[in-house]
Amino acid sequence: MLSFTEENYLKTLLKLTMDERGKEEAGTNELALHLGVKPATVNDMLKKLKQKKLIQYEKYGKIALTKTGRKAGLEVLRKHRLWETFLYEKLEFSWDEVHQVAEQLEHIQSQKLVDKLDKFLDYPEFDPHGDEIPNAKGEFKYRHKVTLSQMEAGKSCKMVAVKDNSAPFLQYVIEVGLGINNHMKVLSIHPYDEIIQIEVNGKVSSVSKKFADNIFVICEDCMKNKPCKFHCK
Amino acid sequence: MLSFTEENYLKTLLKLTMDERGKEEAGTNELALHLGVKPATVNDMLKKLKQKKLIQYEKYGKIALTKTGRKAGLEVLRKHRLWETFLYEKLEFSWDEVHQVAEQLEHIQSQKLVDKLDKFLDYPEFDPHGDEIPNAKGEFKYRHKVTLSQMEAGKSCKMVAVKDNSAPFLQYVIEVGLGINNHMKVLSIHPYDEIIQIEVNGKVSSVSKKFADNIFVICEDCMKNKPCKFHCK
DNA sequence: TATATAAGTTAGACTAATCTAACAAATTTT
DNA sequence: AAAATTTGTTAGATTAGTCTAACTTATATA
Ligand SMILES: [Mn+2]
Ligand SMILES: [Mn+2]
Ligand SMILES: [Mn+2]
Ligand SMILES: [Mn+2]
């Protein structure tokens, strides 16, 4: 049985080693930053997680999840995203409110509850922020998404997810008239300050580079399986 | 902000001082028994709860909730019973499975969640065990219920709740063919060992005194507002 | 009333999770 | 290669919640 804290470490480690592909390991400071604790605290926990065979780790080395650790992390992430979906779909929460409550709900221990909730929601594949929900086996759909800031002027794309899950950012996204599955066209990218002009539903908006870094999109060419020389390799 | 543990103490205190009416106070050992900890542990917590003005308590004296303490306890009880109802009504849990999971869910902190859940369930007044669910103001319906063991031979009654919420007991109740809102007639009570014969839906069953102590009923006379000399005063 | 039993308290110890402050190793820059 | 910086570790302390064992107070019984 894992404690809430242990679960949070595993979930965070999983996110750090799966978001940016290629990166399979994390560091003490990085983990501390994301968990909102001090590196010293993380260091103590690393010893415990290693002892429980949930991570691979040597003194002064990098941290990687073991198979069991990854499985446990996936389970927490699955619960988090299912609960977010429940709150959003069934209880009329807005997308900027669900995360905070799901942070608590993800730690409820009951296999039956997870299964029943999944069924009740009709086996959703994505949460309100467009993040993939791992299924009962821990598998999830991979999508070749890029950030809005990686798009070229003149190209069209569809918003599929957000990177930043904080309430202020999510509210700002709504304000700009954007949302999951919205189509948009990149009109221009200003060379001086990288301000990006986009058109959504006929309305033109200007967004910053910082904003665009946190919006995930799929480009129209990719969707149509056309090779897209700009950002897909 | 209260910890899980503090919430459990307040909820348990509330149940001890509201179930049996007339009894407004509880003792250290009694509380320890219900919480599954040692009296020494309770004693430490009493000091903390007193300091937070959630209970009234003097060394070697009895324990009573303050107004704030009672309100906090009611909120936890409300959440517990709403979650039980959700699991039972929406997720197809059986009535012997809901309690264990609700013990965890009752501690989720989100006023909005409680309100939305209440609405989603259409403001239920009773949980799957027949227990009253306090409303948003902390009020709940009072019903003059008695235990099945208090009934006289020849009288009819309706089952409205169970006292024992443990899975083995609840499964046994089903086995006997009983459930919330079932009507039954007490055929006989044997003077030697107090075995009670009841008739439910034409089927006759024999139950022990211990069993009957844990079944709450409303007698037919009381329901019809006829004075009932046997157990109502 | 004296004694036995029940109820409640205290002291001292333990674990999990956290911190600060000091130290050590690894990496980057000059 | 030396110095500076970043990254990671250790020691020692703190807090919440729990325990055992010994003690004290209150209540019931002979
Ligand atoms: Mn989230
Ligand atoms: Mn969490
Ligand atoms: Mn219950
Ligand atoms: Mn509880």
Side-chain angles (χ1 to χ4, degrees):
Chain A
M1 183 99 313
L2 301 173
S3 69
F4 281 27
T5 311
E6 290 169 329
E7 287 195 338
N8 283 336
Y9 276 78
L10 295 178
K11 184 188 68 167
T12 304
L13 266 170
L14 179 69
K15 283 202 286 184
L16 289 177
T17 57
M18 97 178 180
D19 270 17
E20 357 271 312
R21 60 222 105 314
K23 214 182 137 231
E24 301 268 295
E25 300 173 312
T28 307
N29 287 357
E30 187 186 12
L31 201 44
L33 191 74
H34 282 84
L35 286 162
V37 297
K38 301 289 161 179
T41 306
V42 170
N43 192 265
D44 283 345
M45 181 58 86
L46 293 182
K47 288 169 187 163
K48 202 194 301 179
L49 293 176
K50 186 189 174 177
Q51 211 247 305
K52 288 194 175 189
K53 299 194 172 160
L54 295 162
I55 58 169
Q56 284 179 285
Y57 163 70
E58 295 306 328
K59 213 164 134 174
Y60 293 108
K62 288 292 169 190
I63 312 152
L65 287 167
T66 61
K67 215 155 196 176
T68 2
R70 185 182 145 84
K71 206 178 156 200
L74 272 166
E75 192 56 35
V76 180
L77 200 64
R78 169 169 158 77
K79 288 195 277 181
H80 182 96
R81 293 177 177 173
L82 281 175
W83 279 117
E84 285 192 341
T85 307
F86 168 74
L87 295 172
Y88 186 77
E89 298 286 338
K90 304 290 182 180
L91 298 195
E92 305 175 281
F93 273 63
S94 56
W95 82 336
D96 56 299
E97 296 168 322
V98 299
H99 180 77
Q100 183 250 317
V101 184
E103 281 293 302
Q104 301 176 60
L105 287 163
E106 73 189 7
H107 302 294
I108 302 293
Q109 306 276 291
S110 164
Q111 193 51 61
K112 180 157 192 169
L113 179 54
V114 186
D115 296 342
K116 290 285 191 178
L117 191 63
D118 197 14
K119 185 182 174 192
F120 187 62
L121 299 171
D122 203 19
Y123 309 103
E125 292 185 316
F126 304 102
D127 79 7
H129 310 110
D131 290 316
E132 302 83 358
I133 303 177
N135 69 14
K137 289 178 187 161
E139 308 153 342
F140 52 87
K141 285 253 171 73
Y142 171 75
R143 293 177 300 172
H144 180 66
K145 50 184 194 277
V146 294
T147 63
L148 175 56
S149 52
Q150 293 175 272
M151 293 292 296
E152 304 273 322
K155 290 276 171 188
S156 287
C157 59
K158 186 176 82 170
M159 172 166 163
V160 292
V162 285
K163 197 181 235 171
D164 181 352
N165 275 19
S166 74
F169 175 71
L170 295 175
Q171 283 158 15
Y172 188 18
V173 174
I174 296 284
E175 221 174 289
V176 173
L178 273 175
I180 302 289
N181 288 327
N182 275 172
H183 289 258
M184 72 196 94
K185 184 173 182 180
V186 178
L187 301 178
S188 68
I189 304 165
H190 202 285
Y192 176 66
D193 55 6
E194 300 180 276
I195 288 282
I196 302 164
Q197 270 209 319
I198 54 171
E199 188 189 318
V200 192
N201 294 324
K203 196 188 141 205
V204 176
S205 299
S206 293
V207 301
S208 67
K209 166 85 162 49
K210 183 181 172 192
F211 182 96
D213 277 340
N214 285 296
I215 301 282
F216 281 121
V217 298
I218 293 183
C219 102
E220 212 132 65
D221 293 340
C222 293
M223 276 192 285
K224 291 173 187 154
N225 283 323
K226 278 194 216 166
C228 154
K229 56 185 167 179
F230 298 116
H231 54 262
C232 311
K233 279 146 286 180
Chain B
M1 184 100 312
L2 301 173
S3 68
F4 281 28
T5 311
E6 290 168 330
E7 287 195 339
N8 283 335
Y9 275 78
L10 295 178
K11 184 188 68 167
T12 305
L13 266 170
L14 180 69
K15 283 202 287 185
L16 289 176
T17 57
M18 97 178 181
D19 270 16
E20 359 269 313
R21 60 220 100 323
K23 216 183 136 232
E24 301 270 293
E25 300 173 312
T28 307
N29 287 355
E30 189 187 10
L31 201 45
L33 192 73
H34 282 83
L35 286 162
V37 297
K38 301 289 161 179
T41 307
V42 170
N43 192 266
D44 284 344
M45 182 58 87
L46 292 181
K47 288 170 188 162
K48 202 193 303 179
L49 293 176
K50 187 191 173 176
Q51 212 246 304
K52 289 195 174 188
K53 299 195 173 160
L54 295 162
I55 59 169
Q56 283 179 284
Y57 162 69
E58 294 306 327
K59 213 164 133 175
Y60 294 107
K62 289 291 167 188
I63 312 152
L65 287 166
T66 61
K67 214 155 198 178
T68 359
R70 185 183 146 84
K71 206 179 155 196
L74 272 166
E75 193 56 35
V76 180
L77 200 63
R78 169 170 157 78
K79 288 194 276 179
H80 182 98
R81 293 176 178 174
L82 281 175
W83 278 116
E84 286 192 340
T85 307
F86 169 73
L87 296 173
Y88 186 77
E89 299 285 338
K90 303 290 182 179
L91 298 195
E92 305 176 282
F93 274 63
S94 57
W95 82 335
D96 56 297
E97 297 169 321
V98 298
H99 180 77
Q100 183 249 316
V101 185
E103 281 292 302
Q104 300 176 61
L105 287 163
E106 72 190 8
H107 302 294
I108 302 293
Q109 306 277 297
S110 165
Q111 193 50 58
K112 180 157 193 170
L113 178 55
V114 186
D115 295 343
K116 290 286 191 180
L117 191 64
D118 197 15
K119 185 183 175 192
F120 187 62
L121 299 170
D122 202 18
Y123 309 104
E125 292 185 317
F126 303 102
D127 79 8
H129 311 111
D131 289 317
E132 302 82 359
I133 303 177
N135 68 14
K137 289 177 188 161
E139 309 153 341
F140 52 86
K141 285 253 169 72
Y142 172 76
R143 292 177 300 172
H144 179 65
K145 50 184 194 274
V146 295
T147 63
L148 176 56
S149 52
Q150 290 175 274
M151 294 291 295
E152 304 273 322
K155 290 276 171 189
S156 286
C157 59
K158 185 176 83 170
M159 173 166 163
V160 292
V162 285
K163 196 180 238 172
D164 182 352
N165 275 19
S166 74
F169 176 70
L170 295 175
Q171 283 159 14
Y172 188 19
V173 173
I174 297 283
E175 219 174 290
V176 173
L178 272 176
I180 302 290
N181 288 327
N182 275 170
H183 288 259
M184 72 197 94
K185 184 173 182 178
V186 177
L187 301 178
S188 69
I189 304 166
H190 203 286
Y192 177 67
D193 56 5
E194 300 180 273
I195 288 284
I196 302 164
Q197 272 207 320
I198 54 170
E199 189 190 315
V200 192
N201 294 324
K203 195 188 142 208
V204 177
S205 301
S206 292
V207 301
S208 67
K209 166 83 161 54
K210 184 182 172 190
F211 182 96
D213 276 342
N214 285 297
I215 301 283
F216 280 121
V217 298
I218 293 183
C219 102
E220 213 133 64
D221 293 342
C222 292
M223 275 193 285
K224 291 172 187 156
N225 282 323
K226 278 194 214 168
C228 153
K229 56 185 169 181
F230 298 116
H231 55 260
C232 311
K233 281 146 283 180

